[in-house]
Structures are given as structure tokens and as C-alpha cells.
Amino acid sequence: MKKIIGTCLLTSAILLNAQEKPTYPELTANTKRVDLKLPKIENEKDYKVEVRFGLEINVSECEDPKDFTFNKQNLKHEYGLPNYRYEYYSVAENQPIEIFSANNPGNCDKNKKTVKKILSSQNIFMEYNGYFSTPFFIPKNWTVEYKLWKIDGEFKTAK
């Protein structure tokens, strides 16, 4: 009887502690995974995280690229396990983008190229989470950029 109870307890302990493995998108030759891991801080509820995507482009010295945009419907926010566990974001690998730039009048060489970094005009706001990283599956030439925002947790009435 003691062996049966011991075996049942051991089996239930193993089943309770067993974790399912989350399912993420497969990487291709043109995609990469970037894990956004935020440091642990006090009062996480007082902060929000703004995420934008970055891109380095070759432009002439006369061009002043401001930002780029993509079809936000191609940005997917999904979960690796049911019940909203292990969230991740993915963007299609052959994502067409549109770059917004202006020309700089003045003394510049249109034939001289330079590399400039631009950020997407679209952003994602997330709750601060210093315990788990958030994976992003993005095209290889993109980066994940983030900014922290301190918030006032109280709602105010508009007048």
C-alpha cells in the first residue's frame, strides 16, 4: 500500500512539474529570432515598453530618411502555448516596406552613399516584464529597438 501511494505521489509530482514546450515559428534563411529580455526592476507596473523595428539602409548624403512603414497586418502577436502563455511577435520575411525621406538641399554629393539607421513608424506597447524574454521573429536585416516609458497609474477625467 505504501508503494502504491508513493508511486502515485511521485507520478503526480512529475506531471505537475512537467512543462509543455512552446511552439514558435520556424526560422528560414531570411529570418532571425531576437529575444527582448528586460532587466528586473522594482515597480514594473509603473513602466510600459515601446518596441519599434530598426533598419540600416544605404542612401545618398542628400537624402534624410525619417522612418519606414510596413503593413501592420503582417505583424502577428501570438502565443507559444494555449491560455496566453509564452507570447511572441512575428513579421513576414519578405515584408515590403515604404521609406519616408526628404532631400537635404545644400552642399552634398548625390553619388556618395552612407549607411543610416531608421526606425519603423509603427510601434508596439507592451507591459513591462523582467522575468521572461519576448521573442521576435523578424527579417534578418531588421533590429528590435525599445524604449521604456514611466507611467502614472491613475486615470484622469478629461474635461
Side-chain angles (χ1 to χ4, degrees):
M1 186 66 171
K2 288 182 182 180
K3 287 184 181 181
I4 294 172
I5 293 173
T7 304
C8 288
L9 287 174
L10 180 61
T11 304
S12 63
I14 290 172
L15 290 175
L16 285 174
N17 291 321
Q19 291 192 4
E20 298 174 56
K21 186 175 180 182
T23 304
Y24 293 123
E26 292 288 325
L27 292 178
T28 65
N30 296 323
T31 60
K32 67 180 177 180
R33 176 181 170 163
V34 176
D35 289 327
L36 176 59
K37 177 68 175 152
L38 301 170
K40 292 181 183 172
I41 60 172
E42 291 184 29
N43 302 325
E44 286 186 359
K45 63 179 176 47
D46 293 341
Y47 292 88
K48 295 281 186 201
V49 181
E50 178 185 4
V51 176
R52 291 186 184 208
F53 298 107
L55 180 64
E56 289 186 348
I57 57 172
N58 284 322
V59 295
S60 77
E61 281 186 339
C62 297
E63 289 183 80
D64 184 21
K66 300 293 182 194
D67 56 22
F68 73 95
T69 186
F70 61 94
N71 187 345
K72 199 160 180 181
Q73 291 179 349
N74 292 331
L75 173 66
K76 292 186 170 60
H77 178 214
E78 299 178 314
Y79 297 90
L81 287 176
N83 300 327
Y84 306 103
R85 293 175 27 207
Y86 296 100
E87 75 175 330
Y88 68 90
Y89 293 87
S90 64
V91 178
E93 67 181 272
N94 295 324
Q95 180 66 47
I97 62 170
E98 188 174 339
I99 298 173
F100 297 103
S101 65
N103 287 328
N104 282 336
N107 297 340
C108 62
D109 184 3
K110 291 183 180 182
N111 297 323
K112 188 173 181 184
K113 298 288 184 180
T114 183
V115 176
K116 293 188 179 177
K117 187 171 192 171
I118 57 175
L119 297 179
S120 63
S121 58
Q122 297 104 326
N123 55 12
I124 303 166
F125 277 97
M126 304 169 29
E127 299 292 325
Y128 193 98
N129 183 350
Y131 294 98
F132 301 106
S133 62
T134 303
F136 287 83
F137 296 88
I138 57 175
K140 268 201 171 163
N141 59 338
W142 289 22
T143 60
V144 175
E145 311 288 330
Y146 73 95
K147 184 190 302 187
L148 298 182
W149 292 89
K150 186 161 175 62
I151 59 170
D152 179 6
E154 296 179 19
F155 280 95
K156 307 211 178 359
T157 303
K159 296 181 184 183

